[in-house]
Amino acid sequence: MDVGWEEFGWERLATGVGRRRLPGWDATVGLVVGDTAALLFDAGSTLREGAELRGQAQALLGGRRVTHIALSHPHFDHVLGAAAFAGAQVFGAVGVDDVLVRDRDVLRADAVRHGVAAPEAAEAVDVLVRPHHLVCGEWTLDLGGRQVLLANVGPGHTAHDLALLVPGPGGGGPEVVFCGDLVEESGDPQAGPDAIPSRWPAALDRLLELGGDDATYVPGHGAVVDAAYVRAQRDALAGRFGVGRARGVS
């Protein structure tokens, strides 16, 4: 199950679990390998980037294909490469399918505004993949010899935030939690017009409940962090948006 991650520019996080920090916006893509299936968490910002990820994943998997894709939230740098993975079953939080249809022009314009070439953005949006499966609460996937948990922990960064919990080998810790952009390390968390600031701290509380104090937390952008970092970001967001009271403050 364990593969040569570093050879392909990926970072190994645990047995059969790795991630790559993509150029441009430093967005993270994760890969979880089971005996019979493999899950990609997010898919890059263009079809070209998605195709590169597909090729790398197949090399890492010894020729096998990615069978499942989980989209953390409906922003261009996380979803526009998904169509490069023909045949993969795509998962997203409830409601994300409507956003990907209703806001296609918004996605294209946002990609171009951030530097994606207009023809590339238009091509990716034209073949944009809607999730085949929508996660309301939690959804356990069996990848063959390993189970992972998709959790609809939002809203927060958007109205449709999905996280991925990868239990430790044999069900023991430590866990790996892919957070999407609910957590960012390479800069301050970005709160765009589709953010739900009043609910964001509670979403981070749910992430912490999922992973616990010993888990590895993988931000949507930036270096891997620990529970203390997530808790501090939760408190900073609560203060920034005036939501309740930061934990540990009387």
Side-chain angles (χ1 to χ4, degrees):
M1 183 184 291
D2 224 6
V3 288
W5 302 98
E6 291 78 9
E7 180 182 350
F8 296 95
W10 290 61
E11 176 185 359
R12 180 186 180 277
L13 302 175
T15 301
V17 185
R19 65 98 175 237
R20 184 180 169 200
R21 292 169 68 172
L22 298 173
W25 301 277
D26 194 25
T28 280
V29 169
L31 182 65
V32 184
V33 182
D35 293 337
T36 58
L39 170 72
L40 192 76
F41 188 77
D42 284 337
S45 60
T46 64
L47 290 174
R48 176 173 47 83
E49 197 162 64
E52 180 185 354
L53 290 167
R54 182 190 65 216
Q56 290 179 346
Q58 284 188 235
L60 287 166
L61 295 168
R64 292 164 47 199
R65 292 190 173 193
V66 168
T67 54
H68 301 73
I69 295 175
L71 302 177
S72 65
H73 64 287
H75 285 169
F76 83 92
D77 49 331
H78 299 264
V79 305
L80 289 186
F85 295 84
Q89 293 295 298
V90 181
F91 292 75
V94 165
V96 76
D97 55 333
D98 292 335
V99 174
L100 294 179
V101 172
R102 184 186 67 237
D103 293 345
R104 292 164 76 91
D105 290 342
V106 174
L107 270 173
R108 181 173 59 247
D110 197 33
V112 172
R113 182 166 57 86
H114 282 86
V116 176
E120 276 197 294
E123 179 187 24
V125 168
D126 283 346
V127 294
L128 192 60
V129 174
R130 295 178 66 182
H132 306 104
H133 309 283
L134 299 173
V135 182
C136 180
E138 297 179 350
W139 191 312
T140 299
L141 290 175
D142 188 347
L143 303 181
R146 117 176 291 156
Q147 291 188 330
V148 299
L149 181 72
L150 298 174
N152 185 339
V153 296
H157 177 66
T158 71
H160 312 286
D161 293 309
L162 191 69
L164 170 65
L165 171 68
V166 185
E175 288 85 4
V176 177
V177 181
F178 288 90
C179 307
D181 285 5
L182 285 167
V183 178
E184 295 192 41
E185 187 277 333
S186 54
D188 291 334
Q190 298 301 301
D194 57 346
I196 315 292
S198 64
R199 304 285 294 278
W200 201 333
L204 295 190
D205 285 339
R206 287 189 285 275
L207 282 179
L208 290 163
E209 289 167 4
L210 274 177
D213 282 344
D214 296 327
T216 295
Y217 292 87
V218 185
H221 301 264
V224 167
V225 299
D226 59 12
Y229 183 95
V230 177
R231 195 169 290 112
Q233 194 156 100
R234 184 260 182 221
D235 291 350
L237 286 167
R240 174 178 168 187
F241 297 122
V243 181
R245 208 171 46 175
R247 286 190 168 187
V249 178
S250 58

